[in-house]
Amino acid sequence: MQNNMENTFAGNWIRSITCNLRRIIILCFIVAVASSVWALTRDKRWSASAIAMVPGGEASSFSQIAGLGAITGGLDGLGSVLSAGSPGGMDINLVQQILSSRIVIERIMLKYDFFEYFKSPNMDIALDRMRKWISVELTPEGLIVVSAEGRSREEAAAMVNDIIAFANDELSVIITSRARRSRIIAEESVETAEESLLVAQNRMERFREETGLIFPEEQGSQSIGLLGALETELLLAEAELSGVSGTMSYSSSAYSEIARKVAFLRSTLNTRMTSGDSLSLFPGLDSIPSMLKEYENISINLETRRIIYLMLRQELESLRLEEVKESPTLEVLVPAVPMALRSYPKRGMLVITNTFIALILSLLWLTVVTYAKQLLESESTGVFWRGILKTSGKQLFLIREKKRGSGEIR
């Protein structure tokens, strides 16, 4: 039985291991020491993780902003956008993609100067290396785990917080919902309505400068009152002039004074009834109707545009509230807390792993050597394989042939 075991492959393999046991131990020891020294020269890294979620909720229906789009004119696209479909919920996959997107990672690299740290020839290679330091995972419960490694504990935690903050910044400008699309179009509508309102206000300002009607209704009523007062004064003066005409001569000073007063009142009343005085705040009576007509047209246009502008502003604020409720944002449930132990290099695990690999390779090498030796020493296969090795050595110039005599033919 013992002879049978010695002649088997397993017996030869065990004998080879036993004979080379010291070498195997020395090799594993050297690998362990080299792994320890190599780990001591590596830059240390610490990791931190945070758990975030995307609060959801269906957006409510919109008000009649689609109708306002038709009123403003030139904003026909507003109604079509607002009438298309119903708003969807949050998109967790979109948030996950944004967290691991290139723009977020680039901002992290530039903020923490990783481009210089990696010494990469271009940004693409640096991004590939940086993605090994950052991970974003989605749990079955819908939670997002954001992890990052840093050169210090504080840097790792700060990187995780910045990744979430940068992702929220990107989500705030990406059109992901109906409310956001409507809000953008509503902002354009408000700008257009504001410009239209400003044009109407400028037209009203020019009208007041040209006509002098600052408050047309008040000035018109006061003008009528002034005409009534002038007519009353004129009647009293004419009555007085008629009374003194029987007792005084036309050449007397009192009669002349009353006559001049009557002439002045008639001239003033005639001026007020026609073109009016250029130095007066009250225009002529014959121009007031046309001025009031023009003023009413301008006023109606101005009030219409003001109402549209106020309605659009109110709806814009409502859309902003809807957007806040509907837009996907990240909320941190568990803040980033750096781990006490470093994440890289794991010296103990590294030494054990490399030593175990060295041991396995040593055993595999001994297995190959034992098998090859058994083939070469076997009576049935040894001659063949020795011939193969000899021929191969000659072909590869590893074995030199002995010199023969000059008369011999090779």
Side-chain angles (χ1 to χ4, degrees):
M1 181 70 180
Q2 182 178 358
N3 293 331
N4 293 335
M5 184 67 181
E6 290 178 355
N7 295 328
T8 60
F9 173 76
N12 294 330
W13 182 62
I14 295 174
R15 185 184 296 109
S16 298
I17 293 175
T18 306
C19 295
N20 295 278
L21 187 60
R22 183 183 300 174
R23 295 178 181 177
I24 295 174
I25 295 174
I26 293 174
L27 175 63
C28 293
F29 178 75
I30 292 175
V31 171
V33 173
S35 300
S36 301
V37 174
W38 184 86
L40 289 173
T41 59
R42 301 301 95 190
D43 294 334
K44 300 177 183 178
R45 298 206 300 258
W46 281 264
S47 64
S49 301
I51 300 177
M53 66 172 294
V54 181
E58 295 291 328
S60 62
S61 60
F62 293 99
S63 59
Q64 291 80 10
I65 189 173
L68 295 178
I71 296 177
T72 55
L75 303 173
D76 299 333
L78 181 62
S80 61
V81 170
L82 294 179
S83 60
S86 58
M90 69 288 184
D91 192 349
I92 298 180
N93 293 327
L94 172 65
V95 174
Q96 185 181 7
Q97 293 297 323
I98 293 297
L99 283 170
S100 57
S101 64
R102 176 176 182 138
I103 187 170
V104 172
I105 298 178
E106 281 185 353
R107 292 180 66 179
I108 293 293
M109 290 182 59
L110 295 176
K111 181 175 181 179
Y112 295 95
D113 200 20
F114 275 102
F115 190 79
E116 295 294 333
Y117 177 77
F118 290 144
K119 295 181 174 58
S120 301
N122 54 55
M123 181 60 75
D124 293 333
I125 297 177
L127 284 172
D128 292 337
R129 298 187 62 182
M130 190 67 203
R131 286 192 172 95
K132 298 178 181 178
W133 291 44
I134 297 174
S135 65
V136 179
E137 298 179 358
L138 180 62
T139 64
E141 295 79 11
L143 301 178
I144 299 177
V145 181
V146 183
S147 303
E149 293 184 350
R151 291 159 292 189
S152 65
R153 294 181 177 89
E154 295 76 12
E155 185 182 66
M159 286 173 60
V160 173
N161 295 331
D162 286 336
I163 290 172
I164 296 175
F166 294 160
N168 280 329
D169 292 342
E170 295 301 321
L171 288 171
S172 64
V173 298
I174 294 178
I175 301 176
T176 57
S177 63
R178 177 189 174 196
R180 186 163 297 174
R181 295 186 183 95
S182 303
R183 188 261 302 166
I184 293 175
I185 298 179
E187 287 179 348
E188 297 176 356
S189 304
V190 170
E191 292 179 0
T192 304
E194 186 176 3
E195 294 177 358
S196 177
L197 178 61
L198 182 61
V199 170
Q201 290 175 341
N202 292 335
R203 178 67 186 93
M204 177 65 77
E205 182 180 1
R206 289 196 302 271
F207 171 79
R208 287 172 173 169
E209 291 176 353
E210 293 171 357
T211 60
L213 291 176
I214 308 301
F215 303 101
E217 292 85 358
E218 291 80 357
Q219 288 180 271
S221 61
Q222 291 178 8
S223 179
I224 297 300
L226 178 61
L227 290 175
L230 286 175
E231 188 175 0
T232 302
E233 289 290 334
L234 178 59
L235 291 176
L236 293 176
E238 288 180 346
E240 184 179 0
L241 180 62
S242 177
V244 298
S245 62
T247 59
M248 294 183 183
S249 64
Y250 294 104
S251 60
S252 64
S253 59
Y255 184 86
S256 300
E257 180 181 356
I258 296 173
R260 287 194 298 271
K261 180 179 179 181
V262 171
F264 174 76
L265 290 174
R266 284 185 176 181
S267 174
T268 302
L269 184 60
N270 183 56
T271 302
R272 292 285 182 267
M273 291 293 295
T274 55
S275 60
D277 189 357
S278 60
L279 299 178
S280 175
L281 294 176
F282 307 105
L285 185 61
D286 60 347
S287 61
I288 287 181
S290 60
M291 290 182 181
L292 288 178
K293 179 181 178 181
E294 183 179 1
Y295 171 77
E296 288 175 355
N297 293 331
I298 297 175
S299 179
I300 291 173
N301 187 21
L302 177 61
E303 290 300 323
T304 302
R305 299 189 184 191
R306 181 182 289 112
I307 292 173
I308 293 175
Y309 174 73
L310 293 177
M311 293 174 66
L312 287 174
R313 281 297 301 269
Q314 181 180 3
E315 195 62 35
L316 176 60
E317 298 302 325
S318 300
L319 289 174
R320 286 174 177 171
L321 295 176
E322 293 289 341
E323 180 184 0
V324 172
K325 293 190 297 182
E326 183 180 303
S327 299
T329 55
L330 277 169
E331 289 189 4
V332 179
L333 297 180
V334 179
V337 178
M339 298 182 180
L341 300 178
R342 61 179 176 272
S343 60
Y344 177 85
K346 299 287 188 180
R347 295 173 185 169
M349 184 60 65
L350 185 65
V351 170
I352 294 174
T353 302
N354 291 344
T355 304
F356 181 74
I357 292 174
L359 176 62
I360 296 299
L361 292 177
S362 301
L363 296 179
L364 290 175
W365 174 250
L366 289 177
T367 302
V368 173
V369 171
T370 302
Y371 181 73
K373 187 177 181 181
Q374 185 175 358
L375 289 178
L376 293 174
E377 293 178 354
S378 175
E379 295 179 357
S380 60
T381 59
V383 177
F384 172 77
W385 285 109
R386 284 195 296 271
I388 293 295
L389 292 176
K390 184 176 180 180
T391 304
S392 301
K394 290 179 181 180
Q395 293 295 322
L396 299 175
F397 301 102
L398 299 177
I399 300 176
R400 295 183 179 180
E401 294 182 312
K402 295 181 180 180
K403 294 182 179 180
R404 300 179 183 180
S406 58
E408 296 180 358
I409 300 175
R410 295 182 181 180

